[in-house]
Amino acid sequence: MELWNIYDKYRHLTDRVHERGQEMKPGDHHLVVHVWIVNDDGQYLIQRRQPWKIGFPNMWDCSAAGSALMGDDSEQAAIRETKEEIGIGLDMDKGERLFTVKFSEGFDDIWLVRQNIALENLQLQGEEVAEAKWVSEEEIKEMVEKGEFIPFNYFERLFEVANSGISLKKASIHDAEELLALQKEVFLPLYKKYNDHETSPVTQTIERFSERFEQGDYYKIFYHDTLAGSVHVHEKSPGLMRLRIINILDRFHNRGIAQQVMKRLELMHPEADAWELDTILTEERNCYLYEKVGYRRTGEAKTINDDLTLIRYLKNSSLNKIESI
């Protein structure tokens, strides 16, 4: 008997479980994962489903996929499903959750793992997997056109993110000192410009900074494997996500990184109905960026000193989301 944890529409874990094979109740959601393994040559490891599989029999699929079992988080489910289906242990230090597809009965987390694997080391689960092979992005597109590959609606996003050079890696409390130093470097010019001794991230203590890891998610932003910045997001209320802070080091400006990261974050949280953030009124470049990606001023403002006023932005339409099949 396979049991799943039940989530509500905002991806909040409930105290209920669901038995696979039974009809799910309206409003209930469970967690699914899709794993895409890509090697150093840019090839994707794909598997062909057995002809007796229910749902897309005999068709080509991602590296591994399946439902999270009771007690699994997304990463644990990705590791378990990959081990079960193709006998490979994932190197999650080289993995990241790219985005999430919300469907009628759940949340489908899409993982990308950069890992070189020899085909002869695969141990295929005979009940589910007929064969596996490495293919290029173009070959996948051709297979989709021929009706040989499951027609996922997220292929465009998958390849866009995989080829962008931008990676979001979940940070932990062990990264606090490094990320605080990065934050201070990014905000030092603004601290000097506005004489903000009250709210500036430059004056934040390591103790106060470390509290962020207890709320929401903190990510390191990598650009072609080099640390380029960081971002912290959290749920302010059901359906409302807050972009608390985004830091991009000066030497990585004008590469579109912030804009791409904000888009990724929306794709990672399809349960959100809106996003909000605060920024400095007179920093026109930042205001332009936020307005360009769809944020609008709410009219809320907070005066810090004679030179510095923080204003609030909200985005509640044209959010980046992916429709399910």
Side-chain angles (χ1 to χ4, degrees), residues 183-191 200-202 245-247:
Q183 174 178 286
K184 290 184 176 183
E185 179 180 344
V186 169
F187 277 89
L188 185 59
L190 294 176
Y191 173 71
S200 174
V202 172
I245 193 168
I246 183 167
N247 307 306

Side-chain angles (χ1 to χ4, degrees), residues 36-221:
W36 293 85
I37 300 173
V38 60
N39 64 20
D40 289 345
D41 294 324
Q43 296 175 310
Y44 293 83
L45 182 63
I46 62 173
Q47 60 158 280
R48 186 169 61 81
R49 298 162 67 84
Q50 291 285 15
W52 52 78
K53 284 279 292 180
I54 298 176
F56 305 106
N58 212 38
M59 295 186 73
W60 287 94
D61 199 349
C62 58
S63 308
S67 296
L69 301 181
M70 184 174 66
D72 279 348
D73 62 22
S74 181
E75 182 173 323
Q76 290 169 335
I79 294 171
R80 179 182 51 75
E81 285 292 339
T82 304
K83 187 67 174 179
E84 288 179 0
E85 293 187 5
I86 60 175
I88 292 298
L90 287 178
D91 182 358
M92 296 309 281
D93 287 339
K94 299 178 182 178
E96 60 178 314
R97 180 165 67 94
L98 298 187
F99 44 78
T100 297
V101 180
K102 186 178 180 183
F103 59 102
S104 60
E105 295 183 342
F107 299 93
D108 186 359
D109 286 347
I110 314 302
W111 286 84
L112 181 75
V113 181
R114 299 185 183 277
Q115 189 169 343
N116 296 316
I117 298 168
L119 291 177
E120 56 268 26
N121 292 334
L122 299 181
Q123 299 177 25
L124 304 184
Q125 185 180 33
E127 313 93 80
E128 299 199 15
V129 184
E131 60 179 311
K133 62 180 179 179
W134 289 103
V135 294
S136 67
E137 175 184 327
E138 290 305 316
E139 287 175 307
I140 291 177
K141 292 177 180 178
E142 291 174 3
M143 295 168 77
V144 172
E145 289 184 3
K146 293 178 181 178
E148 299 171 351
F149 210 109
I150 298 177
F152 298 120
N153 286 353
Y154 59 72
F155 279 120
E156 181 180 351
R157 299 294 193 197
L158 170 68
F159 298 134
E160 176 186 29
V161 176
N163 298 329
S164 69
I166 300 172
S167 299
L168 296 181
K169 300 295 180 65
K170 188 81 170 288
S172 72
I173 189 65
H174 303 293
D175 301 304
E177 290 188 3
E178 179 185 26
L179 292 179
L180 178 57
L182 184 151
Q183 174 178 286
K184 290 184 176 183
E185 179 180 344
V186 169
F187 277 89
L188 185 59
L190 294 176
Y191 173 71
K192 294 178 178 179
K193 180 177 179 180
Y194 293 104
N195 298 307
D196 176 18
H197 304 292
E198 179 183 345
T199 66
S200 174
V202 172
T203 62
Q204 198 166 39
T205 64
I206 186 65
E207 291 76 20
R208 182 67 182 275
F209 181 83
S210 298
E211 293 174 3
R212 291 187 178 178
F213 295 92
E214 301 174 7
Q215 180 185 38
D217 295 316
Y218 215 123
Y219 296 95
K220 290 181 171 183
I221 303 170

